[in-house]
Amino acid sequence: MKIITVHSFRRGAGKSTLAANLAVLFALHKQRVGVVDTDFQSPGIGQFLGLSEAEVTHTLNGYLWGQCEIQAAAYDVSARLGLAEPARLVVLPASSDTQDILKMVRSTCDLDRLNDGLQKLSEAYQLDYLLLDSMAGINEDTLVSIALANILLVLLHADQQDYQGTAVTVEVARNLGVTRILLALNEAPQWFDEASAAEQLKNTYQCEVAGIFPHSDDLLALVSARTMALYQPDHPILRVYKGIIDQITSA
Amino acid sequence: MGDEKFQNLMEELASLNPVSGLTMSDLIEFPEGVRLLLTWMIHEKVIQVDQVAAHLAIKPHHSRDLLDRMASKGLIEEYKTDDCGDQYQVTVKSGRNYRVPKKIWDVFED
């Protein structure tokens, strides 16, 4: 089982969109995938994958606080997303309840308990991949998410703040011994020379560039309520997601 | 090679002050050898002496010395088990240093 942490230095880069679509595409390729929302301060990946607030009775927060076992906080969405065996897609959502979010701000993310839970989840569902939708930036919780990664997928926009922030993230990841770091650039403007940008990113960060996403009004129109991978499976932007999958699975 | 690696790690550990409650912020500041060993241990979750010896290509008695030194510095915890022998685990505490004033939290409690 491989842990893929999806991270960005700044908020709003598109991590959850990326993680959700990758998870679905992995599953469509007959893989068994778990998606874990570790963005406790702004959770929401469950919504992409068909989970409603009403049905989420147990969350990752509750597991970390010792209120439930990990399996109780895991939701198998395979059937509702039309995924056939052997594929599997399991979501471990974070709580979107205000009090829970505030409690998480005050409390700690227990690395040992998280690590233990991820292992149990992986064993219970025989997962091939576990995608961690991380918080943005560098803090204690994201250091945990990065440290756990077998592959770190860093998402950035084409702007100076993200370029500088990505340098910090890559340095931190290397210091934590992450052996594989992939970059993905999001919302590239129309005039962008993708080949040249990919070369520049690769040379600057000494990392593989997994994909460059053009700006997409169609993606925005999904309003984080569903994945392009299922809603419009023939959309051209999916070639970028599939390229990332190919890079991840090629090693 | 193994002896040199062991010596380097012991020197790095000697340079560290003991911690009570290892945080990720602590870990990221450690010398490279200790830092990478700890992150490997985080991935492995629970480890034994011979696992570390194999991972670092050092002698088992050096591995034990290393783990004992790391435990004495507060970097790992040792568990004695009947069936699996001595086991070690990295235990990371949250390092949040900022404190939101209580009066702000009280607003949400009302």
mmCIF file of all heavy atoms in Angstrom, chain A residues 187-235:
data_model
loop_
_atom_site.group_PDB
_atom_site.id
_atom_site.type_symbol
_atom_site.label_atom_id
_atom_site.label_comp_id
_atom_site.label_asym_id
_atom_site.label_seq_id
_atom_site.Cartn_x
_atom_site.Cartn_y
_atom_site.Cartn_z
ATOM 1 N N GLU A 187 -4.393 25.587 -12.814
ATOM 2 C CA GLU A 187 -4.928 26.858 -13.327
ATOM 3 C C GLU A 187 -3.921 27.589 -14.205
ATOM 4 O O GLU A 187 -3.747 28.817 -14.093
ATOM 5 C CB GLU A 187 -5.331 27.773 -12.152
ATOM 6 C CG GLU A 187 -6.482 27.238 -11.315
ATOM 7 C CD GLU A 187 -7.825 27.543 -11.955
ATOM 8 O OE1 GLU A 187 -7.961 28.595 -12.614
ATOM 9 O OE2 GLU A 187 -8.723 26.705 -11.833
ATOM 10 N N ALA A 188 -3.244 26.857 -15.061
ATOM 11 C CA ALA A 188 -2.300 27.516 -15.969
ATOM 12 C C ALA A 188 -3.064 28.387 -16.966
ATOM 13 O O ALA A 188 -4.051 27.940 -17.546
ATOM 14 C CB ALA A 188 -1.482 26.476 -16.719
ATOM 15 N N PRO A 189 -2.649 29.632 -17.145
ATOM 16 C CA PRO A 189 -3.355 30.492 -18.098
ATOM 17 C C PRO A 189 -3.180 30.008 -19.537
ATOM 18 O O PRO A 189 -2.269 29.230 -19.821
ATOM 19 C CB PRO A 189 -2.707 31.873 -17.902
ATOM 20 C CG PRO A 189 -1.485 31.650 -17.110
ATOM 21 C CD PRO A 189 -1.563 30.312 -16.456
ATOM 22 N N GLN A 190 -4.033 30.517 -20.413
ATOM 23 C CA GLN A 190 -4.047 30.043 -21.806
ATOM 24 C C GLN A 190 -2.722 30.252 -22.520
ATOM 25 O O GLN A 190 -2.320 29.449 -23.351
ATOM 26 C CB GLN A 190 -5.148 30.773 -22.590
ATOM 27 C CG GLN A 190 -6.483 30.079 -22.515
ATOM 28 C CD GLN A 190 -7.503 30.712 -23.438
ATOM 29 O OE1 GLN A 190 -7.426 31.896 -23.756
ATOM 30 N NE2 GLN A 190 -8.467 29.936 -23.855
ATOM 31 N N TRP A 191 -2.028 31.351 -22.177
ATOM 32 C CA TRP A 191 -0.799 31.693 -22.881
ATOM 33 C C TRP A 191 0.397 30.875 -22.395
ATOM 34 O O TRP A 191 1.516 31.003 -22.878
ATOM 35 C CB TRP A 191 -0.487 33.186 -22.743
ATOM 36 C CG TRP A 191 -0.612 33.713 -21.333
ATOM 37 C CD1 TRP A 191 -1.657 34.401 -20.817
ATOM 38 C CD2 TRP A 191 0.356 33.587 -20.281
ATOM 39 N NE1 TRP A 191 -1.415 34.727 -19.505
ATOM 40 C CE2 TRP A 191 -0.194 34.246 -19.149
ATOM 41 C CE3 TRP A 191 1.618 33.012 -20.173
ATOM 42 C CZ2 TRP A 191 0.491 34.323 -17.938
ATOM 43 C CZ3 TRP A 191 2.300 33.088 -18.961
ATOM 44 C CH2 TRP A 191 1.716 33.729 -17.863
ATOM 45 N N PHE A 192 0.198 30.034 -21.410
ATOM 46 C CA PHE A 192 1.289 29.305 -20.766
ATOM 47 C C PHE A 192 1.934 28.304 -21.716
ATOM 48 O O PHE A 192 1.246 27.542 -22.372
ATOM 49 C CB PHE A 192 0.706 28.559 -19.557
ATOM 50 C CG PHE A 192 1.593 28.521 -18.360
ATOM 51 C CD1 PHE A 192 2.018 29.691 -17.766
ATOM 52 C CD2 PHE A 192 1.995 27.316 -17.808
ATOM 53 C CE1 PHE A 192 2.826 29.668 -16.641
ATOM 54 C CE2 PHE A 192 2.802 27.282 -16.689
ATOM 55 C CZ PHE A 192 3.212 28.457 -16.100
ATOM 56 N N ASP A 193 3.262 28.304 -21.781
ATOM 57 C CA ASP A 193 3.991 27.305 -22.555
ATOM 58 C C ASP A 193 4.252 26.128 -21.611
ATOM 59 O O ASP A 193 5.169 26.166 -20.780
ATOM 60 C CB ASP A 193 5.310 27.907 -23.047
ATOM 61 C CG ASP A 193 6.125 26.916 -23.870
ATOM 62 O OD1 ASP A 193 5.919 25.692 -23.741
ATOM 63 O OD2 ASP A 193 6.984 27.361 -24.648
ATOM 64 N N GLU A 194 3.449 25.101 -21.725
ATOM 65 C CA GLU A 194 3.504 24.002 -20.758
ATOM 66 C C GLU A 194 4.847 23.287 -20.759
ATOM 67 O O GLU A 194 5.395 22.985 -19.700
ATOM 68 C CB GLU A 194 2.390 22.988 -21.068
ATOM 69 C CG GLU A 194 1.003 23.469 -20.655
ATOM 70 C CD GLU A 194 -0.038 22.373 -20.780
ATOM 71 O OE1 GLU A 194 0.335 21.186 -20.880
ATOM 72 O OE2 GLU A 194 -1.235 22.709 -20.752
ATOM 73 N N ALA A 195 5.362 23.028 -21.921
ATOM 74 C CA ALA A 195 6.619 22.262 -22.001
ATOM 75 C C ALA A 195 7.749 23.039 -21.343
ATOM 76 O O ALA A 195 8.541 22.484 -20.565
ATOM 77 C CB ALA A 195 6.943 21.947 -23.452
ATOM 78 N N SER A 196 7.784 24.324 -21.637
ATOM 79 C CA SER A 196 8.843 25.163 -21.074
ATOM 80 C C SER A 196 8.676 25.284 -19.559
ATOM 81 O O SER A 196 9.651 25.230 -18.802
ATOM 82 C CB SER A 196 8.777 26.535 -21.756
ATOM 83 O OG SER A 196 9.523 27.464 -21.051
ATOM 84 N N ALA A 197 7.422 25.422 -19.111
ATOM 85 C CA ALA A 197 7.160 25.546 -17.675
ATOM 86 C C ALA A 197 7.541 24.263 -16.938
ATOM 87 O O ALA A 197 8.147 24.304 -15.865
ATOM 88 C CB ALA A 197 5.688 25.852 -17.437
ATOM 89 N N ALA A 198 7.214 23.133 -17.545
ATOM 90 C CA ALA A 198 7.533 21.852 -16.907
ATOM 91 C C ALA A 198 9.039 21.697 -16.760
ATOM 92 O O ALA A 198 9.549 21.247 -15.723
ATOM 93 C CB ALA A 198 6.942 20.705 -17.718
ATOM 94 N N GLU A 199 9.767 22.092 -17.798
ATOM 95 C CA GLU A 199 11.225 21.996 -17.768
ATOM 96 C C GLU A 199 11.796 22.890 -16.669
ATOM 97 O O GLU A 199 12.686 22.480 -15.910
ATOM 98 C CB GLU A 199 11.770 22.410 -19.139
ATOM 99 C CG GLU A 199 13.235 22.121 -19.363
ATOM 100 C CD GLU A 199 13.569 20.644 -19.358
ATOM 101 O OE1 GLU A 199 12.687 19.819 -19.690
ATOM 102 O OE2 GLU A 199 14.701 20.302 -18.986
ATOM 103 N N GLN A 200 11.229 24.095 -16.573
ATOM 104 C CA GLN A 200 11.713 25.060 -15.582
ATOM 105 C C GLN A 200 11.436 24.578 -14.160
ATOM 106 O O GLN A 200 12.283 24.685 -13.273
ATOM 107 C CB GLN A 200 11.023 26.403 -15.812
ATOM 108 C CG GLN A 200 11.843 27.580 -15.351
ATOM 109 C CD GLN A 200 11.361 28.872 -15.965
ATOM 110 O OE1 GLN A 200 10.562 28.879 -16.914
ATOM 111 N NE2 GLN A 200 11.806 29.982 -15.428
ATOM 112 N N LEU A 201 10.237 24.042 -13.951
ATOM 113 C CA LEU A 201 9.886 23.523 -12.626
ATOM 114 C C LEU A 201 10.809 22.365 -12.253
ATOM 115 O O LEU A 201 11.300 22.275 -11.120
ATOM 116 C CB LEU A 201 8.428 23.047 -12.603
ATOM 117 C CG LEU A 201 7.343 24.120 -12.592
ATOM 118 C CD1 LEU A 201 5.968 23.492 -12.812
ATOM 119 C CD2 LEU A 201 7.351 24.904 -11.293
ATOM 120 N N LYS A 202 11.030 21.499 -13.204
ATOM 121 C CA LYS A 202 11.874 20.324 -12.946
ATOM 122 C C LYS A 202 13.291 20.768 -12.570
ATOM 123 O O LYS A 202 13.885 20.241 -11.620
ATOM 124 C CB LYS A 202 11.905 19.449 -14.194
ATOM 125 C CG LYS A 202 12.624 18.130 -14.021
ATOM 126 C CD LYS A 202 12.561 17.329 -15.313
ATOM 127 C CE LYS A 202 13.487 16.123 -15.211
ATOM 128 N NZ LYS A 202 13.594 15.404 -16.481
ATOM 129 N N ASN A 203 13.816 21.734 -13.305
ATOM 130 C CA ASN A 203 15.182 22.201 -13.032
ATOM 131 C C ASN A 203 15.272 22.967 -11.722
ATOM 132 O O ASN A 203 16.241 22.851 -10.985
ATOM 133 C CB ASN A 203 15.682 23.086 -14.181
ATOM 134 C CG ASN A 203 15.887 22.289 -15.459
ATOM 135 O OD1 ASN A 203 16.098 21.071 -15.409
ATOM 136 N ND2 ASN A 203 15.812 22.951 -16.603
ATOM 137 N N THR A 204 14.222 23.737 -11.425
ATOM 138 C CA THR A 204 14.250 24.557 -10.214
ATOM 139 C C THR A 204 14.169 23.706 -8.960
ATOM 140 O O THR A 204 14.914 23.900 -8.006
ATOM 141 C CB THR A 204 13.072 25.555 -10.219
ATOM 142 O OG1 THR A 204 13.178 26.383 -11.371
ATOM 143 C CG2 THR A 204 13.062 26.416 -8.958
ATOM 144 N N TYR A 205 13.226 22.735 -8.970
ATOM 145 C CA TYR A 205 12.965 21.969 -7.753
ATOM 146 C C TYR A 205 13.584 20.579 -7.768
ATOM 147 O O TYR A 205 13.541 19.872 -6.771
ATOM 148 C CB TYR A 205 11.443 21.847 -7.538
ATOM 149 C CG TYR A 205 10.751 23.184 -7.394
ATOM 150 C CD1 TYR A 205 9.945 23.693 -8.413
ATOM 151 C CD2 TYR A 205 10.927 23.955 -6.255
ATOM 152 C CE1 TYR A 205 9.325 24.928 -8.290
ATOM 153 C CE2 TYR A 205 10.314 25.192 -6.121
ATOM 154 C CZ TYR A 205 9.523 25.671 -7.149
ATOM 155 O OH TYR A 205 8.920 26.897 -7.024
ATOM 156 N N GLN A 206 14.167 20.204 -8.899
ATOM 157 C CA GLN A 206 14.750 18.857 -9.027
ATOM 158 C C GLN A 206 13.708 17.792 -8.674
ATOM 159 O O GLN A 206 13.978 16.844 -7.939
ATOM 160 C CB GLN A 206 15.987 18.716 -8.119
ATOM 161 C CG GLN A 206 17.126 19.652 -8.497
ATOM 162 C CD GLN A 206 17.666 19.347 -9.886
ATOM 163 O OE1 GLN A 206 18.113 18.241 -10.173
ATOM 164 N NE2 GLN A 206 17.625 20.329 -10.773
ATOM 165 N N CYS A 207 12.500 18.021 -9.174
ATOM 166 C CA CYS A 207 11.395 17.089 -8.949
ATOM 167 C C CYS A 207 10.739 16.779 -10.278
ATOM 168 O O CYS A 207 10.755 17.602 -11.191
ATOM 169 C CB CYS A 207 10.308 17.707 -8.065
ATOM 170 S SG CYS A 207 10.812 18.082 -6.398
ATOM 171 N N GLU A 208 10.099 15.617 -10.322
ATOM 172 C CA GLU A 208 9.307 15.290 -11.516
ATOM 173 C C GLU A 208 8.074 16.198 -11.564
ATOM 174 O O GLU A 208 7.472 16.490 -10.528
ATOM 175 C CB GLU A 208 8.828 13.836 -11.442
ATOM 176 C CG GLU A 208 9.926 12.807 -11.315
ATOM 177 C CD GLU A 208 9.386 11.497 -10.779
ATOM 178 O OE1 GLU A 208 8.561 10.861 -11.475
ATOM 179 O OE2 GLU A 208 9.754 11.097 -9.663
ATOM 180 N N VAL A 209 7.715 16.615 -12.759
ATOM 181 C CA VAL A 209 6.481 17.383 -12.951
ATOM 182 C C VAL A 209 5.431 16.409 -13.481
ATOM 183 O O VAL A 209 5.550 15.892 -14.593
ATOM 184 C CB VAL A 209 6.696 18.551 -13.925
ATOM 185 C CG1 VAL A 209 5.391 19.318 -14.133
ATOM 186 C CG2 VAL A 209 7.777 19.485 -13.379
ATOM 187 N N ALA A 210 4.427 16.172 -12.658
ATOM 188 C CA ALA A 210 3.450 15.138 -12.995
ATOM 189 C C ALA A 210 2.377 15.638 -13.946
ATOM 190 O O ALA A 210 1.799 14.850 -14.704
ATOM 191 C CB ALA A 210 2.812 14.587 -11.725
ATOM 192 N N GLY A 211 2.101 16.940 -13.902
ATOM 193 C CA GLY A 211 1.049 17.427 -14.788
ATOM 194 C C GLY A 211 0.862 18.929 -14.663
ATOM 195 O O GLY A 211 1.210 19.518 -13.634
ATOM 196 N N ILE A 212 0.336 19.521 -15.710
ATOM 197 C CA ILE A 212 -0.021 20.946 -15.701
ATOM 198 C C ILE A 212 -1.484 21.050 -16.129
ATOM 199 O O ILE A 212 -1.850 20.641 -17.242
ATOM 200 C CB ILE A 212 0.890 21.761 -16.639
ATOM 201 C CG1 ILE A 212 2.317 21.737 -16.103
ATOM 202 C CG2 ILE A 212 0.375 23.194 -16.774
ATOM 203 C CD1 ILE A 212 3.323 22.527 -16.913
ATOM 204 N N PHE A 213 -2.302 21.579 -15.216
ATOM 205 C CA PHE A 213 -3.736 21.702 -15.476
ATOM 206 C C PHE A 213 -4.021 23.080 -16.060
ATOM 207 O O PHE A 213 -3.669 24.090 -15.454
ATOM 208 C CB PHE A 213 -4.541 21.560 -14.176
ATOM 209 C CG PHE A 213 -4.515 20.191 -13.589
ATOM 210 C CD1 PHE A 213 -3.590 19.857 -12.608
ATOM 211 C CD2 PHE A 213 -5.434 19.233 -13.998
ATOM 212 C CE1 PHE A 213 -3.572 18.597 -12.054
ATOM 213 C CE2 PHE A 213 -5.424 17.963 -13.443
ATOM 214 C CZ PHE A 213 -4.481 17.645 -12.470
ATOM 215 N N PRO A 214 -4.696 23.142 -17.195
ATOM 216 C CA PRO A 214 -5.130 24.441 -17.682
ATOM 217 C C PRO A 214 -6.290 24.953 -16.835
ATOM 218 O O PRO A 214 -6.946 24.165 -16.132
ATOM 219 C CB PRO A 214 -5.603 24.118 -19.103
ATOM 220 C CG PRO A 214 -6.036 22.690 -19.038
ATOM 221 C CD PRO A 214 -5.150 22.019 -18.032
ATOM 222 N N HIS A 215 -6.515 26.255 -16.892
ATOM 223 C CA HIS A 215 -7.709 26.786 -16.246
ATOM 224 C C HIS A 215 -8.933 26.125 -16.894
ATOM 225 O O HIS A 215 -8.985 25.981 -18.110
ATOM 226 C CB HIS A 215 -7.787 28.307 -16.423
ATOM 227 C CG HIS A 215 -9.102 28.869 -15.989
ATOM 228 N ND1 HIS A 215 -9.411 29.093 -14.665
ATOM 229 C CD2 HIS A 215 -10.217 29.187 -16.694
ATOM 230 C CE1 HIS A 215 -10.645 29.560 -14.583
ATOM 231 N NE2 HIS A 215 -11.150 29.624 -15.803
ATOM 232 N N SER A 216 -9.909 25.745 -16.058
ATOM 233 C CA SER A 216 -11.075 25.049 -16.595
ATOM 234 C C SER A 216 -12.356 25.567 -15.943
ATOM 235 O O SER A 216 -12.605 25.293 -14.754
ATOM 236 C CB SER A 216 -10.950 23.540 -16.371
ATOM 237 O OG SER A 216 -12.165 22.889 -16.679
ATOM 238 N N ASP A 217 -13.146 26.280 -16.706
ATOM 239 C CA ASP A 217 -14.456 26.715 -16.197
ATOM 240 C C ASP A 217 -15.358 25.509 -15.942
ATOM 241 O O ASP A 217 -16.190 25.528 -15.032
ATOM 242 C CB ASP A 217 -15.134 27.659 -17.207
ATOM 243 C CG ASP A 217 -14.500 29.041 -17.208
ATOM 244 O OD1 ASP A 217 -13.931 29.429 -16.161
ATOM 245 O OD2 ASP A 217 -14.564 29.731 -18.243
ATOM 246 N N ASP A 218 -15.175 24.461 -16.730
ATOM 247 C CA ASP A 218 -15.995 23.254 -16.540
ATOM 248 C C ASP A 218 -15.741 22.639 -15.173
ATOM 249 O O ASP A 218 -16.652 22.140 -14.519
ATOM 250 C CB ASP A 218 -15.683 22.219 -17.636
ATOM 251 C CG ASP A 218 -16.115 22.699 -19.010
ATOM 252 O OD1 ASP A 218 -17.045 23.533 -19.078
ATOM 253 O OD2 ASP A 218 -15.538 22.238 -20.013
ATOM 254 N N LEU A 219 -14.470 22.672 -14.750
ATOM 255 C CA LEU A 219 -14.125 22.116 -13.436
ATOM 256 C C LEU A 219 -14.734 22.972 -12.331
ATOM 257 O O LEU A 219 -15.297 22.456 -11.356
ATOM 258 C CB LEU A 219 -12.603 22.064 -13.301
ATOM 259 C CG LEU A 219 -11.993 21.069 -12.327
ATOM 260 C CD1 LEU A 219 -12.470 19.651 -12.601
ATOM 261 C CD2 LEU A 219 -10.468 21.122 -12.403
ATOM 262 N N LEU A 220 -14.644 24.267 -12.516
ATOM 263 C CA LEU A 220 -15.225 25.188 -11.525
ATOM 264 C C LEU A 220 -16.732 24.990 -11.431
ATOM 265 O O LEU A 220 -17.314 25.089 -10.350
ATOM 266 C CB LEU A 220 -14.915 26.639 -11.905
ATOM 267 C CG LEU A 220 -13.463 27.098 -11.757
ATOM 268 C CD1 LEU A 220 -13.301 28.515 -12.286
ATOM 269 C CD2 LEU A 220 -13.010 27.022 -10.305
ATOM 270 N N ALA A 221 -17.350 24.694 -12.561
ATOM 271 C CA ALA A 221 -18.804 24.549 -12.595
ATOM 272 C C ALA A 221 -19.288 23.356 -11.766
ATOM 273 O O ALA A 221 -20.461 23.301 -11.383
ATOM 274 C CB ALA A 221 -19.284 24.401 -14.045
ATOM 275 N N LEU A 222 -18.405 22.431 -11.491
ATOM 276 C CA LEU A 222 -18.793 21.280 -10.664
ATOM 277 C C LEU A 222 -18.922 21.664 -9.192
ATOM 278 O O LEU A 222 -19.413 20.859 -8.392
ATOM 279 C CB LEU A 222 -17.772 20.144 -10.822
ATOM 280 C CG LEU A 222 -17.657 19.554 -12.225
ATOM 281 C CD1 LEU A 222 -16.594 18.467 -12.273
ATOM 282 C CD2 LEU A 222 -18.991 18.992 -12.691
ATOM 283 N N VAL A 223 -18.477 22.857 -8.844
ATOM 284 C CA VAL A 223 -18.573 23.464 -7.500
ATOM 285 C C VAL A 223 -18.237 22.485 -6.379
ATOM 286 O O VAL A 223 -18.893 22.473 -5.327
ATOM 287 C CB VAL A 223 -19.962 24.116 -7.259
ATOM 288 C CG1 VAL A 223 -20.141 25.321 -8.156
ATOM 289 C CG2 VAL A 223 -21.121 23.144 -7.417
ATOM 290 N N SER A 224 -17.190 21.687 -6.581
ATOM 291 C CA SER A 224 -16.701 20.753 -5.559
ATOM 292 C C SER A 224 -17.751 19.756 -5.101
ATOM 293 O O SER A 224 -17.642 19.174 -4.023
ATOM 294 C CB SER A 224 -16.178 21.505 -4.320
ATOM 295 O OG SER A 224 -15.183 22.415 -4.670
ATOM 296 N N ALA A 225 -18.777 19.572 -5.914
ATOM 297 C CA ALA A 225 -19.840 18.648 -5.513
ATOM 298 C C ALA A 225 -19.719 17.293 -6.190
ATOM 299 O O ALA A 225 -20.410 16.345 -5.822
ATOM 300 C CB ALA A 225 -21.198 19.260 -5.824
ATOM 301 N N ARG A 226 -18.857 17.217 -7.191
ATOM 302 C CA ARG A 226 -18.678 15.937 -7.882
ATOM 303 C C ARG A 226 -17.348 15.965 -8.617
ATOM 304 O O ARG A 226 -16.737 17.008 -8.778
ATOM 305 C CB ARG A 226 -19.829 15.665 -8.841
ATOM 306 C CG ARG A 226 -20.042 16.738 -9.878
ATOM 307 C CD ARG A 226 -21.277 16.502 -10.709
ATOM 308 N NE ARG A 226 -22.468 17.044 -10.083
ATOM 309 C CZ ARG A 226 -23.698 16.873 -10.559
ATOM 310 N NH1 ARG A 226 -23.897 16.132 -11.628
ATOM 311 N NH2 ARG A 226 -24.731 17.410 -9.946
ATOM 312 N N THR A 227 -16.936 14.795 -9.059
ATOM 313 C CA THR A 227 -15.639 14.722 -9.745
ATOM 314 C C THR A 227 -15.839 14.725 -11.249
ATOM 315 O O THR A 227 -16.796 14.158 -11.779
ATOM 316 C CB THR A 227 -14.883 13.434 -9.369
ATOM 317 O OG1 THR A 227 -15.670 12.297 -9.765
ATOM 318 C CG2 THR A 227 -14.606 13.369 -7.879
ATOM 319 N N MET A 228 -14.903 15.374 -11.955
ATOM 320 C CA MET A 228 -14.915 15.347 -13.409
ATOM 321 C C MET A 228 -14.753 13.921 -13.904
ATOM 322 O O MET A 228 -15.345 13.538 -14.918
ATOM 323 C CB MET A 228 -13.772 16.234 -13.931
ATOM 324 C CG MET A 228 -13.753 16.439 -15.418
ATOM 325 S SD MET A 228 -15.182 17.362 -15.998
ATOM 326 C CE MET A 228 -14.657 19.049 -15.734
ATOM 327 N N ALA A 229 -13.981 13.136 -13.165
ATOM 328 C CA ALA A 229 -13.686 11.766 -13.586
ATOM 329 C C ALA A 229 -14.949 10.929 -13.767
ATOM 330 O O ALA A 229 -14.998 10.056 -14.624
ATOM 331 C CB ALA A 229 -12.757 11.095 -12.571
ATOM 332 N N LEU A 230 -15.968 11.222 -12.961
ATOM 333 C CA LEU A 230 -17.226 10.478 -13.104
ATOM 334 C C LEU A 230 -18.260 11.258 -13.889
ATOM 335 O O LEU A 230 -19.044 10.687 -14.637
ATOM 336 C CB LEU A 230 -17.799 10.129 -11.727
ATOM 337 C CG LEU A 230 -17.137 8.947 -11.028
ATOM 338 C CD1 LEU A 230 -17.690 8.784 -9.625
ATOM 339 C CD2 LEU A 230 -17.324 7.659 -11.800
ATOM 340 N N TYR A 231 -18.284 12.580 -13.702
ATOM 341 C CA TYR A 231 -19.359 13.384 -14.290
ATOM 342 C C TYR A 231 -19.151 13.586 -15.785
ATOM 343 O O TYR A 231 -20.100 13.515 -16.564
ATOM 344 C CB TYR A 231 -19.439 14.727 -13.564
ATOM 345 C CG TYR A 231 -20.642 15.546 -13.923
ATOM 346 C CD1 TYR A 231 -21.931 15.089 -13.672
ATOM 347 C CD2 TYR A 231 -20.493 16.788 -14.538
ATOM 348 C CE1 TYR A 231 -23.032 15.839 -14.016
ATOM 349 C CE2 TYR A 231 -21.594 17.550 -14.883
ATOM 350 C CZ TYR A 231 -22.859 17.078 -14.619
ATOM 351 O OH TYR A 231 -23.956 17.821 -14.965
ATOM 352 N N GLN A 232 -17.898 13.852 -16.184
ATOM 353 C CA GLN A 232 -17.603 14.036 -17.609
ATOM 354 C C GLN A 232 -16.343 13.247 -17.953
ATOM 355 O O GLN A 232 -15.274 13.825 -18.161
ATOM 356 C CB GLN A 232 -17.382 15.516 -17.940
ATOM 357 C CG GLN A 232 -18.650 16.345 -17.928
ATOM 358 C CD GLN A 232 -18.378 17.780 -18.389
ATOM 359 O OE1 GLN A 232 -18.231 18.670 -17.577
ATOM 360 N NE2 GLN A 232 -18.311 17.992 -19.683
ATOM 361 N N PRO A 233 -16.454 11.928 -18.012
ATOM 362 C CA PRO A 233 -15.272 11.082 -18.157
ATOM 363 C C PRO A 233 -14.501 11.283 -19.461
ATOM 364 O O PRO A 233 -13.376 10.804 -19.583
ATOM 365 C CB PRO A 233 -15.851 9.657 -18.075
ATOM 366 C CG PRO A 233 -17.295 9.793 -18.361
ATOM 367 C CD PRO A 233 -17.698 11.156 -17.928
ATOM 368 N N ASP A 234 -15.085 11.993 -20.419
ATOM 369 C CA ASP A 234 -14.368 12.232 -21.680
ATOM 370 C C ASP A 234 -13.780 13.633 -21.756
ATOM 371 O O ASP A 234 -13.265 14.040 -22.798
ATOM 372 C CB ASP A 234 -15.320 12.033 -22.873
ATOM 373 C CG ASP A 234 -15.808 10.589 -22.944
ATOM 374 O OD1 ASP A 234 -15.003 9.690 -22.644
ATOM 375 O OD2 ASP A 234 -16.994 10.367 -23.272
ATOM 376 N N HIS A 235 -13.863 14.382 -20.673
ATOM 377 C CA HIS A 235 -13.364 15.762 -20.692
ATOM 378 C C HIS A 235 -11.855 15.772 -20.909
ATOM 379 O O HIS A 235 -11.133 14.974 -20.312
ATOM 380 C CB HIS A 235 -13.713 16.464 -19.379
ATOM 381 C CG HIS A 235 -13.605 17.948 -19.449
ATOM 382 N ND1 HIS A 235 -12.389 18.615 -19.415
ATOM 383 C CD2 HIS A 235 -14.558 18.915 -19.585
ATOM 384 C CE1 HIS A 235 -12.598 19.907 -19.521
ATOM 385 N NE2 HIS A 235 -13.902 20.125 -19.617
#
